[in-house]
Amino acid sequence: MSSREMADLTEIRHDNVKRSIETLRDKGIIQSPQIEDYAISNGLGITTYAKEYFVCKRDSYIIVA
């Protein structure tokens, strides 16, 4: 499950979900997630990139809880 999917599911901002993932990873509670960049287009021809985490099923339960 991706961090963006978790944010949509829980109605929490994506940056807060990513911060929770980083905190849990640093404490050794979850495994280090796979990180990918995704593009965000603003409609004016400007594209920026942000990070998205992908975690396993077990870790996604812990993060959402």
Side-chain angles (χ1 to χ4, degrees):
M1 178 176 255
S2 76
S3 55
R4 288 193 319 174
E5 291 171 327
M6 285 184 243
D8 290 340
L9 178 69
T10 59
E11 298 180 351
I12 297 173
R13 287 182 17 189
H14 186 228
D15 61 327
N16 291 333
V17 172
K18 290 192 310 184
R19 188 175 316 114
S20 295
I21 291 171
E22 292 163 358
T23 301
L24 292 168
R25 178 201 60 208
D26 293 345
K27 291 182 178 181
I29 297 171
I30 64 170
Q31 298 175 356
S32 185
Q34 177 183 346
I35 302 171
E36 292 186 13
D37 289 331
Y38 67 95
I40 303 170
S41 179
N42 68 356
L44 300 173
I46 299 173
T47 303
T48 57
Y49 294 91
K51 292 181 182 177
E52 177 177 24
Y53 294 121
F54 288 89
V55 297
C56 67
K57 185 175 182 178
R58 175 199 171 271
D59 290 350
S60 67
Y61 287 137
I62 293 169
I63 296 161
V64 171

